Structures are given as C-alpha cells and as structure tokens.
Amino acid sequence: MSQILLTPGPVPLHPEVIRILAQPMIHHRTPAFDEILSSCLQKLPKIFGTREKVFMHSSTGSGGMESVLVNVLSPGDKVLAIVSGKFGERWAEMAKTFGMQVDILNVNWGEAVTEEQVQNRLLTHTYRAVLCQACETSTAVLHPIRELGELIAKLPETLFLVDGITAVGAADLPMDLFHIDGLVAGSQKALMLPTGLSFVSFSQKAQKYFATATCPRFYFDIRKEQKANTGGETFYSSNVLLVRALDWVLNFIEQQGLKTFLNTVQRRSVMTHHFLSLAGLRSYSKNPSPSLTAIVLPENSPGVEMRKHLEDKYSVVVMGGQDQLKGKILRIGHMGYIQDSDMQSFFEALMKTFLDFKIAGWTEDKMKTIVEQMRNWCQKNS
Amino acid sequence: MSQILLTPGPVPLHPEVIRILAQPMIHHRTPAFDEILSSCLQKLPKIFGTREKVFMHSSTGSGGMESVLVNVLSPGDKVLAIVSGKFGERWAEMAKTFGMQVDILNVNWGEAVTEEQVQNRLLTHTYRAVLCQACETSTAVLHPIRELGELIAKLPETLFLVDGITAVGAADLPMDLFHIDGLVAGSQKALMLPTGLSFVSFSQKAQKYFATATCPRFYFDIRKEQKANTGGETFYSSNVLLVRALDWVLNFIEQQGLKTFLNTVQRRSVMTHHFLSLAGLRSYSKNPSPSLTAIVLPENSPGVEMRKHLEDKYSVVVMGGQDQLKGKILRIGHMGYIQDSDMQSFFEALMKTFLDFKIAGWTEDKMKTIVEQMRNWCQKNS
C-alpha cells in the first residue's frame, strides 16, 4: 500500500533521485566521483547564498549543528541560545556539553523571537555567539534571521550561528546577505534526499576562529575537510550514494533557479494556510515557516490517536507535536517531491478523521464542500 | 561501461540491496520503520559476537572510531596505540586530539604486532586503553586480536579498543570471546552497504566508563542512543535508506550462518593468494587479512600509472598504496557482492597491464596459461 509522506523530513524523493540511488556503487577516489563531488561543492554555495565554501559531513543534521559549534567556539565562551522549541533546546544543551557558558533566551513556543528581545541581551552582555534556528521545526516558526543578522553584524566579536536544517532551500536565507556566520543544512529536508548528509558553511568572520577554537574535534574538524576539498576529495570515505543524488538535486534547482524552487515550497505553505482557513482551522505558529505548517487540532481532540489513525486508516504520515504540544498539533512538511494531490489527500483524510472521531461541527457535507473548494484552488493556482 | 569494483570498501552491492535502496522513503518514527530498526538491533550483536548491544551512528567508520574513544576515555588518560599503517595513525591522532596521553607502539608496515611487543609495554606502563586495528586496511595486515584480548583482559583497568571496520563480518572476530571492550564496524565493508553507517559496541567493562568519561561528546554520545534504542528508536533522524538495506543484509547473513558468510570472504582471499602464486607475485602483508589483499607490484613498476591504467583501460577499480607504499602495492577487497569472474577479470587485466607496461618476464603465453589455471581453480573450488 503506497503511503503519502508529508513530514518535515524525511521527505518524498523525486523519481530521478530514486533512480540514482539504485545505481551501481563506485569508489570515491575515482575521477568519476571527483567530478560529481566537485560539481556539488561548486553548486552548494549558491543554495547557501554565500561566497564561502560549503562543507559536507556524513551525519544527520545534528552532527552539522555540532560542527558549527565546535569549529568556532571554545569551552568557556559565552553564548546566547535562542530557545523556542525542541531544536533550540538541543543546540543549547550541545553548547553546554562542550563547555560553553550558555545564556538561554526563552521564547514562547509558537512565537518568533523579536529583535528587541535579542537587542536587550546584547546591550547588557558580551557574547561570543548567538545561536538561533532559522525555522524551529517543533513549532513551525520562522525567526527573523535577517534582522538578527544585522544586529549581530555590528558586534565584531560575536558570531551569528544559525540552524538552517529546515530552512535552507525552503526559506529565503542568503547567508552572506543576512550576515550569518555559521549555517547548517540537512539532506532530508528541502534538498529532497534521504537522511545522511549535513552541510555547513562559515563566514570569514567565523573562519578566523578555526585556528583558535579549543573545542576538541576530529570527525567534525572542518580544517580536515577544507584541505581534502581543495584536493578535490572528502577527508573521510565519501557518502557516494547521497552525493551522487545531491548532484542531481543541485542541477534540478539550478535549472529552474533557486527562487522558483523556493516558490514551490512557499506555494505549498500558502495552499496549506488557505485549506486551514476553509476548514476553520489555524496554524500554531504566529510566524509560520514556508517549510512546514503546524496545524492546531480542534480542542479536546485525541491528537495522538488521530495522527495514528491518519497513518493506519488513510496511509498519510504526518508528525504530531512534541513535549508540551503532544497531541495538540499536527505538523506537515512542504519540502520534497510533493504533489498537489498529496496535499488534498491529506486534508481530506484529516477531515474524515474528524468525522471518524466525531469532532463537533464536522459533517460529511461540510467536508465535501471543502474538498471541492480545495480542488478549485489547486486548479486555479496550478 | 560497467566497472568492476574490487576495493576494500566501498564494495559492490547485492542486487537486492540496490532494490531496497530504491524503495520510497518512509518516516523513521513509524511502526514500519521501528520494526526494521528493532530487527537490525537484535541481529547486529550476532555479527559482533557479543551479548551487549550494538549502536549505530550516521557517520563513516571514522565517526565510529571517535565514538569508541570519547564514550569511555577522558582527557589525560594514558593509552597505547598500536600503529601499523594509516588507520592506526589516524586513531592515535584522534586520541591525542581528545587530550589523551598517547604512547605509540610502532609496528613495521606489513607486519602484525606481536603479543610480546604489547606485553612488554603493559609490564612497564599502566594504560587505560590499548587501541588496535583488527585489520589495518592500508597494509592488509590482520593483528592477533584474540591473543591481545587475553593479555589485556587480565588488567582490570585497561580497555581493549578495536577498530574492526575492515574486519567485522569478514574475519572471525567474536567480541566477547576475544575480550574486546570497544569494537567499531562500518557499513561499506563486509556488511555490503554504501558508506554512511558506523556500528559500535562496548563490553560491560567499558560501559562503566560511560558515566565517568569526561570527553565532551554529544553527536556520538552513546548514552543518548542507549536510551532511544530502549524505546525502539534512534536518537537522531534514522538513516532509513541504509537501515532498511542493513536489515536485508543481516537476514542474508543469518540465513546462511555467519560462519558460511565469513567463509565466502575467506575463500576470495585464498583464491587471491593462489592466483598470486600462479603469477609469481606476493602479498605485502606478512599476516594477511581475509578482507583484502595487498599485492606487491614487480620491482620498479610505475605503480600509480598501472593502477590508473587498470581503471581507464580495463574498467577495474582497485586501490593503490598510501604514503610509503604509494606506487608499490595494489589493494583489492574481498568483501561485498563479488563474483569469481570479477576476481579472474581483475587478474587478467593486471597481467595485461604488465604486458602493456612491458614488465620483465611477462608474455602473452604466460598470461594465457595463468588465466587457464585460474579458471580451473575456480571450477574446482566453486
């Protein structure tokens, strides 16, 4: 039975990616692979919006988050961690683990941090770095990265480190223009690949700390990759399978232009918010990211069971909420190889689930009307 | 043009693995994936020969090497690193990077360390750990892990940490029986998968250091995986693509039995040594690993060009030597989905290369005779 995968990573794969994943294995120290790697290393900076180099690690996104910290920070460094959900918590905990003095700027879940909140901290404290998610995946919030970047750029000794795992390739996030000093992305998000690669890049301002940062690091030591990449290779065994597919994805993005590619993701977000309004539902995030939407379930819904029901009965896989949001929201991703029909099927299945669970106010007729309205929207906006 | 891949990792993939790599993406927090993960976590200890749990990281083998160190050692710990090639050097450097006091036991390249060499060090020094490759991939040497394990097991405060990346699933290396305290394996070797997963396991003796080891660690912190695995999940996004294929490989091994699977690899090593004797060539390693063979090229051969020639003209990809062995040896792997015909094709191509490069003593007739003898060996030993 074929499932509809609508999670904020991993995402549905393009048929061409699947075809490339099924190619015979080749060795990574060969001219054939060198060419592919070189093509990727040349194209990745365009996706990051930077003149700097982008490096790859064979790891999940969290490995990339670790890389961004350990390559430019030292134990004892004072950092400000903006925490607005699960991934903010993780990054703050990571920084503590590596011996940094971490001040937490807690932001209400569902809200974006404000310039003012950050400015207040920066006026009274001196930080070596500010950590922020571009998109906090647990709440679907997009933070004002451009504005924060402008603030932090004024401080010569403070780095702006951004977790762009659920944002790079989905939201407009040009690293150089937004004054981002360290940016991380992951393969299983907007880059439409399976999990297994993370990507990191550092501004000139950040790179000068490569030599002085005293966090012990080996696997994630970017200096090794720098040297190896210069010679056209990766330092460790290359992730041949994903890098080959990455090359196709980067070409795919280049052919249509990054802006068009971002618009495709953005359009699914707009579509989702339109469908929500048709259904009288609302988004949890007060500043929604284009990469995913967190849908608030009708009050007193048995959210955990409903998510499972969607999967078991209607073969639609979406994510629920975590921690304080458990059972209260559903999170659907807008990245990857998604068809309009997948989005419509999800919403129809969601409404059927409301009927199955006898949620107040839901009738077969209401559902049919909305299904019709969704179809019309998709036709008009195709 | 189809290539023959005969390197010591990555290795040729089984057609069934390729088929599984091309399946649609599924999410890792779903019952379908949980079942696959649980099956893998249950079967991996059999391959490791341990009653302990085996953990996975999304990383290359080197990430697993880091994991084995940072989870049980602390800065300042005195360790003995047995260095007999590139990977021994890497592990020693890694330990230094994390602040350990590293004593090097240098072993001549091509030779295995002896019990006596290690015993001498252990009599005069107290080490928290001894680091050794089971197979040193750069020289194709197999070290006497069982004997070293017995020595070290007598020391209550010394851990025996073994890099089994090119050995687990290829050489007989039962972790518990050989008194190994930390063992690492990689996906792209005997486990016949693409690069991207590493596997680690720790003895009870080692596990007690999880709580006290002070190496800062987050991505490779095994305590996080321990907790997540207990709940049937991985801590980070699971490497769905490779874990699904791993499950098939582990079933494949289980169905035939580990011993039979190891014999398949061993047989290719025996075949290679037989072919070498037919051709009047010799193996570089004085104690060859079953997982790969390092072939000494005829004296004064332009080894680097010959390796390239094999690839360009005959479409056979093998590895050359590194550092002091550059241009002097060829390394061919015996792991993965290899046919007898691949081995014969390589040797035929190698002899043709000798002819192409006018290596003394090589004639068309001599080659034809050996090709015939190889064919006979394969028929008799199929």
Side-chain angles (χ1 to χ4, degrees), chain B residues 96-117:
Chain B
K96 277 183 207 158
T97 301
F98 287 100
M100 288 122 211
Q101 290 183 56
V102 181
D103 276 3
I104 306 274
L105 197 173
N106 267 311
V107 179
N108 290 335
W109 283 40
E111 291 175 18
V113 71
T114 65
E115 280 173 75
E116 203 185 358
Q117 285 173 304

Side-chain angles (χ1 to χ4, degrees), chain A residues 7 27 31 60 66 219 311, chain B residues 7 27 31 60 66 97 219 311:
Chain A
T7 62
H27 198 275
T60 67
E66 180 163 321
Y219 187 68
E311 192 169 311
Chain B
T7 62
H27 198 276
T60 68
E66 180 164 320
T97 301
Y219 187 68
E311 191 168 312

Side-chain angles (χ1 to χ4, degrees), chain B residues 100-269:
Chain B
M100 288 122 211
Q101 290 183 56
V102 181
D103 276 3
I104 306 274
L105 197 173
N106 267 311
V107 179
N108 290 335
W109 283 40
E111 291 175 18
V113 71
T114 65
E115 280 173 75
E116 203 185 358
Q117 285 173 304
V118 177
Q119 179 72 293
N120 286 343
R121 294 292 188 109
L122 294 178
L123 286 173
T124 48
H125 300 75
T126 304
Y127 293 108
R128 168 52 43 85
V130 177
L131 315 184
C132 190
Q133 273 54 46
C135 164
E136 168 56 58
T137 319
S138 61
T139 63
V141 161
L142 191 70
H143 288 295
I145 298 304
R146 176 174 210 151
E147 291 75 11
L148 299 186
E150 270 166 24
L151 273 182
I152 298 162
K154 290 174 195 145
L155 307 170
E157 299 301 332
T158 308
L159 300 177
F160 186 30
L161 306 181
V162 174
D163 163 6
I165 294 172
T166 317
V168 171
D172 188 34
L173 194 69
M175 178 176 137
D176 292 355
L177 190 67
F178 285 10
H179 302 290
I180 298 169
D181 297 307
L183 183 61
V184 52
S187 55
Q188 80 276 27
K189 307 282 185 171
L191 291 172
M192 315 200 299
L193 296 171
T195 300
L197 280 180
S198 68
F199 309 95
V200 295
S201 187
F202 298 89
S203 69
Q204 293 278 339
K205 186 176 171 185
Q207 283 172 45
K208 70 177 187 211
Y209 292 98
F210 286 177
T212 57
T214 58
C215 269
R217 58 198 184 278
F218 196 97
Y219 187 68
F220 291 118
D221 191 341
I222 226 63
R223 293 167 297 185
K224 296 189 202 305
E225 285 307 321
Q226 258 184 326
K227 207 177 148 189
N229 287 181
T230 305
E233 297 190 332
T234 60
F235 186 76
Y236 303 108
S237 295
S238 309
N239 202 317
V240 170
L241 202 73
L242 297 195
V243 174
R244 275 196 303 208
L246 172 67
D247 190 38
W248 182 87
V249 171
L250 294 176
N251 281 325
F252 177 73
I253 298 176
E254 192 170 75
Q255 273 157 25
Q256 61 190 277
L258 179 60
K259 200 159 168 47
T260 306
F261 184 75
L262 295 176
N263 283 343
T264 317
V265 180
Q266 172 75 39
R267 179 176 164 279
R268 291 185 199 120
S269 167

Side-chain angles (χ1 to χ4, degrees), chain B residues 61-88:
Chain B
S62 293
M65 288 165 76
E66 180 164 320
S67 171
V68 168
L69 298 187
V70 299
N71 280 293
V72 297
L73 297 176
S74 301
D77 278 355
K78 227 175 144 172
V79 309
L80 178 66
I82 297 167
V83 174
S84 64
K86 284 288 277 184
F87 290 93

